[in-house]
Coordinates of all heavy atoms in Angstrom, one line a residue:
S1 N 83.7 118.6 91.3 CA 84.3 118.1 92.5 C 83.2 118.0 93.7 O 83.6 117.9 94.8 CB 85.5 118.9 93.0 OG 85.0 120.3 93.2
D2 N 81.9 118.2 93.3 CA 80.9 118.2 94.3 C 80.0 117.0 94.3 O 78.9 117.0 94.8 CB 80.0 119.5 94.2 CG 79.4 119.6 92.8 OD1 79.8 118.8 91.9 OD2 78.5 120.4 92.6
Q3 N 80.5 115.9 93.7 CA 79.7 114.7 93.6 C 79.7 113.9 94.9 O 80.5 114.1 95.8 CB 80.3 113.8 92.5 CG 80.3 114.4 91.1 CD 80.8 113.5 90.0 OE1 80.4 112.4 89.9 NE2 81.8 114.0 89.2
T4 N 78.6 113.1 95.1 CA 78.4 112.4 96.3 C 78.6 110.9 96.1 O 78.8 110.4 94.9 CB 77.0 112.6 96.9 OG1 76.1 111.9 96.0 CG2 76.7 114.1 96.9
A5 N 78.5 110.1 97.1 CA 78.7 108.6 97.0 C 77.3 107.9 96.9 O 77.2 106.7 97.1 CB 79.4 108.1 98.3
D6 N 76.3 108.7 96.6 CA 74.9 108.2 96.7 C 74.7 107.0 95.7 O 74.1 106.0 96.0 CB 73.9 109.3 96.3 CG 73.8 110.3 97.4 OD1 74.3 110.1 98.5 OD2 73.2 111.4 97.2
Q7 N 75.3 107.1 94.5 CA 75.2 106.0 93.5 C 75.9 104.7 94.0 O 75.3 103.6 93.8 CB 75.7 106.5 92.2 CG 74.9 107.5 91.5 CD 75.4 107.8 90.1 OE1 75.3 107.0 89.2 NE2 76.1 109.0 89.9
H8 N 77.0 104.9 94.6 CA 77.7 103.7 95.1 C 76.9 103.1 96.2 O 76.8 101.9 96.3 CB 79.1 104.1 95.6 CG 80.1 104.3 94.6 ND1 80.3 105.5 93.9 CD2 81.0 103.5 94.0 CE1 81.3 105.4 93.0 NE2 81.7 104.2 93.0
L9 N 76.4 103.9 97.1 CA 75.5 103.4 98.2 C 74.3 102.6 97.7 O 74.0 101.5 98.2 CB 75.1 104.5 99.1 CG 74.2 104.1 100.3 CD1 75.0 103.2 101.3 CD2 73.7 105.4 101.0
A10 N 73.6 103.2 96.7 CA 72.5 102.5 96.2 C 72.8 101.2 95.5 O 72.1 100.2 95.6 CB 71.8 103.4 95.2
F11 N 74.0 101.2 94.9 CA 74.4 99.9 94.2 C 74.6 98.8 95.2 O 74.2 97.7 95.0 CB 75.7 100.2 93.4 CG 76.2 99.0 92.6 CD1 75.5 98.6 91.5 CD2 77.2 98.2 93.1 CE1 76.0 97.5 90.7 CE2 77.7 97.1 92.4 CZ 77.0 96.8 91.2
V12 N 75.4 99.1 96.3 CA 75.6 98.0 97.2 C 74.4 97.7 98.1 O 74.2 96.5 98.5 CB 76.9 98.3 98.1 CG1 78.1 98.3 97.2 CG2 76.7 99.6 98.9
K13 N 73.6 98.6 98.4 CA 72.4 98.4 99.2 C 71.4 97.5 98.5 O 70.6 96.8 99.2 CB 71.8 99.7 99.6 CG 72.5 100.5 100.8 CD 71.7 101.7 101.2 CE 70.5 101.3 102.0 NZ 69.8 102.5 102.5
Q14 N 71.3 97.6 97.2 CA 70.3 96.9 96.5 C 70.3 95.4 96.7 O 69.3 94.7 96.6 CB 70.4 97.1 95.0 CG 71.6 96.5 94.3 CD 71.7 96.7 92.8 OE1 70.6 96.5 92.2 NE2 72.8 97.0 92.3
F15 N 71.5 94.8 97.1 CA 71.6 93.4 97.3 C 71.1 92.9 98.6 O 70.9 91.7 98.8 CB 73.1 93.0 97.2 CG 73.7 93.3 95.8 CD1 74.5 94.4 95.7 CD2 73.4 92.6 94.7 CE1 75.1 94.8 94.4 CE2 73.9 92.9 93.5 CZ 74.8 94.0 93.3
D16 N 70.9 93.9 99.5 CA 70.3 93.6 100.9 C 71.1 92.4 101.5 O 70.4 91.4 102.0 CB 68.8 93.3 100.7 CG 68.1 93.2 102.1 OD1 68.6 93.9 103.0 OD2 67.1 92.5 102.2
S17 N 72.4 92.4 101.5 CA 73.2 91.3 101.9 C 74.4 91.8 102.7 O 75.1 92.8 102.3 CB 73.7 90.5 100.7 OG 74.6 89.5 101.2
R18 N 74.7 91.2 103.8 CA 75.9 91.5 104.6 C 77.1 91.1 103.8 O 78.2 91.5 104.3 CB 75.8 90.8 105.9 CG 75.8 89.3 105.9 CD 76.0 88.7 107.2 NE 77.3 89.0 107.8 CZ 77.8 88.4 108.9 NH1 77.1 87.4 109.4 NH2 78.9 88.7 109.4
W19 N 77.0 90.4 102.7 CA 78.2 89.9 102.0 C 78.6 90.8 100.9 O 79.5 90.4 100.1 CB 77.9 88.5 101.5 CG 77.6 87.5 102.6 CD1 76.4 87.1 103.0 CD2 78.5 87.1 103.6 NE1 76.5 86.3 104.1 CE2 77.8 86.3 104.5 CE3 79.9 87.2 103.8 CZ2 78.4 85.6 105.6 CZ3 80.5 86.6 104.9 CH2 79.8 85.8 105.7
V20 N 78.0 92.0 100.7 CA 78.3 92.9 99.7 C 78.5 94.3 100.4 O 77.7 94.8 101.2 CB 77.2 93.1 98.6 CG1 77.7 94.1 97.6 CG2 77.0 91.7 98.0
G21 N 79.7 94.9 100.1 CA 80.0 96.2 100.7 C 81.0 96.9 99.8 O 81.1 96.7 98.6
M22 N 81.8 97.8 100.4 CA 82.7 98.7 99.7 C 84.1 98.5 100.3 O 84.3 98.3 101.5 CB 82.4 100.1 99.8 CG 81.1 100.6 99.2 SD 81.2 100.6 97.4 CE 82.5 101.9 97.1
Q23 N 85.1 98.5 99.4 CA 86.5 98.7 99.8 C 86.8 100.1 99.3 O 87.2 100.3 98.2 CB 87.5 97.7 99.2 CG 88.9 97.9 99.7 CD 89.7 96.6 99.8 OE1 89.2 95.5 100.1 NE2 91.0 96.7 99.6
F24 N 86.6 101.1 100.2 CA 86.6 102.5 99.8 C 88.0 103.0 99.7 O 88.8 102.9 100.6 CB 85.8 103.3 100.8 CG 85.8 104.8 100.5 CD1 85.1 105.2 99.3 CD2 86.4 105.7 101.3 CE1 85.0 106.5 99.0 CE2 86.3 107.0 100.9 CZ 85.7 107.4 99.8
D25 N 88.3 103.5 98.5 CA 89.6 104.1 98.2 C 89.5 105.6 98.5 O 88.8 106.4 97.8 CB 90.0 103.9 96.7 CG 91.5 104.3 96.5 OD1 91.8 105.4 96.8 OD2 92.2 103.4 96.0
I26 N 90.2 106.1 99.5 CA 90.1 107.4 100.0 C 90.6 108.4 98.9 O 90.0 109.5 98.7 CB 90.9 107.6 101.3 CG1 90.2 106.9 102.4 CG2 91.0 109.1 101.7 CD1 90.9 106.9 103.8
G27 N 91.7 108.1 98.2 CA 92.2 109.1 97.3 C 91.6 109.1 95.9 O 91.7 110.0 95.2
N28 N 90.9 108.0 95.5 CA 90.5 107.8 94.1 C 89.5 108.9 93.7 O 89.6 109.3 92.5 CB 89.8 106.4 93.9 CG 90.8 105.4 93.4 OD1 91.9 105.7 93.0 ND2 90.4 104.2 93.3
H29 N 88.6 109.3 94.5 CA 87.6 110.3 94.1 C 87.7 111.6 94.7 O 86.8 112.4 94.7 CB 86.2 109.7 94.3 CG 85.9 108.7 93.2 ND1 86.5 107.5 93.1 CD2 85.0 108.7 92.2 CE1 86.0 106.8 92.1 NE2 85.1 107.6 91.5
W30 N 88.9 112.0 95.2 CA 89.2 113.3 95.7 C 89.0 114.3 94.6 O 88.5 115.5 94.9 CB 90.6 113.4 96.3 CG 91.1 114.8 96.6 CD1 92.2 115.4 96.1 CD2 90.6 115.6 97.6 NE1 92.3 116.6 96.7 CE2 91.4 116.8 97.7 CE3 89.5 115.6 98.5 CZ2 91.1 117.9 98.5 CZ3 89.3 116.6 99.4 CH2 90.1 117.8 99.4
K31 N 89.2 114.0 93.4 CA 88.9 114.9 92.3 C 87.5 115.2 92.1 O 87.1 116.3 91.6 CB 89.5 114.3 91.0 CG 89.3 115.1 89.7 CD 89.8 114.5 88.5 CE 89.6 115.4 87.2 NZ 90.2 114.8 86.0
Y32 N 86.6 114.3 92.5 CA 85.2 114.4 92.3 C 84.3 114.7 93.5 O 83.1 115.0 93.3 CB 84.7 113.1 91.6 CG 85.4 112.8 90.3 CD1 86.4 111.8 90.2 CD2 85.0 113.5 89.1 CE1 87.0 111.5 89.0 CE2 85.6 113.2 87.9 CZ 86.6 112.2 87.9 OH 87.2 112.0 86.7
G33 N 84.9 114.6 94.7 CA 84.1 114.9 95.8 C 84.9 114.9 97.1 O 86.1 114.6 97.0
N34 N 84.3 115.1 98.2 CA 85.0 115.1 99.5 C 84.9 113.6 100.1 O 83.8 113.2 100.5 CB 84.4 116.1 100.5 CG 85.1 116.2 101.8 OD1 85.9 115.3 102.1 ND2 84.9 117.2 102.5
P35 N 86.0 112.9 100.2 CA 86.0 111.6 100.7 C 85.5 111.4 102.1 O 84.9 110.4 102.5 CB 87.5 111.1 100.6 CG 88.0 111.9 99.5 CD 87.4 113.3 99.6
A36 N 85.6 112.5 102.9 CA 85.1 112.4 104.3 C 83.6 112.3 104.2 O 82.9 111.6 105.0 CB 85.5 113.7 105.1
D37 N 82.9 113.1 103.3 CA 81.5 113.0 103.1 C 81.1 111.6 102.6 O 80.1 111.1 102.9 CB 81.0 114.1 102.2 CG 81.1 115.5 102.8 OD1 81.2 115.6 104.0 OD2 81.2 116.5 102.0
W38 N 81.9 111.1 101.6 CA 81.6 109.8 101.1 C 81.7 108.7 102.2 O 80.9 107.8 102.2 CB 82.6 109.5 99.9 CG 82.3 110.2 98.7 CD1 81.9 111.5 98.5 CD2 82.4 109.7 97.3 NE1 81.8 111.8 97.2 CE2 82.1 110.7 96.4 CE3 82.8 108.5 96.8 CZ2 82.1 110.6 95.1 CZ3 82.8 108.3 95.4 CH2 82.5 109.3 94.6
I39 N 82.7 108.8 103.1 CA 82.8 107.9 104.2 C 81.5 107.9 105.0 O 81.0 106.9 105.4 CB 84.0 108.2 105.0 CG1 85.3 107.8 104.2 CG2 84.0 107.5 106.3 CD1 86.6 108.4 104.8
K40 N 81.0 109.1 105.3 CA 79.8 109.2 106.2 C 78.6 108.7 105.4 O 77.7 108.1 106.1 CB 79.6 110.7 106.5 CG 80.7 111.3 107.4 CD 80.5 112.8 107.6 CE 81.6 113.4 108.5 NZ 81.5 114.9 108.6
T41 N 78.5 108.8 104.1 CA 77.4 108.3 103.4 C 77.5 106.8 103.3 O 76.4 106.1 103.6 CB 77.4 108.9 101.9 OG1 77.2 110.3 102.0 CG2 76.3 108.3 101.1
L42 N 78.6 106.2 103.0 CA 78.7 104.8 102.9 C 78.7 104.1 104.2 O 78.3 102.9 104.3 CB 80.0 104.5 102.1 CG 80.0 104.9 100.6 CD1 81.4 104.8 100.1 CD2 79.0 104.1 99.8
D43 N 79.2 104.7 105.2 CA 79.1 104.3 106.6 C 79.5 102.8 106.8 O 80.5 102.4 106.4 CB 77.6 104.6 107.1 CG 77.5 104.5 108.6 OD1 78.3 105.1 109.3 OD2 76.5 103.8 109.0
R44 N 78.6 102.0 107.4 CA 78.9 100.6 107.7 C 79.1 99.7 106.4 O 79.5 98.6 106.6 CB 77.9 100.0 108.6 CG 76.5 99.8 108.0 CD 75.6 99.2 109.0 NE 75.4 100.0 110.2 CZ 75.8 99.7 111.4 NH1 76.3 98.5 111.6 NH2 75.6 100.4 112.4

């Protein structure tokens, strides 16, 4: 439950495009990490 959103961030950032981002599901990864921290990591 201590996983981060770093892999998701790297995946969407690689496209270097304003047309790719996240529709972040707050509850989906509560089992694997703190969604508040994931929100701060994924940011804009």
Side-chain angles (χ1 to χ4, degrees):
S1 60
D2 59 348
Q3 299 183 51
T4 71
D6 292 349
Q7 291 186 70
H8 283 88
L9 179 64
F11 183 77
V12 295
K13 283 186 70 174
Q14 69 174 320
F15 300 102
D16 192 27
S17 171
R18 62 171 298 195
W19 300 105
V20 181
M22 294 287 299
Q23 182 148 329
F24 180 66
D25 190 306
I26 291 176
N28 262 352
H29 281 69
W30 171 240
K31 179 178 180 178
Y32 298 104
N34 185 341
D37 293 337
W38 285 40
I39 289 168
K40 293 174 184 176
T41 296
L42 294 169
D43 195 48
R44 65 179 62 244

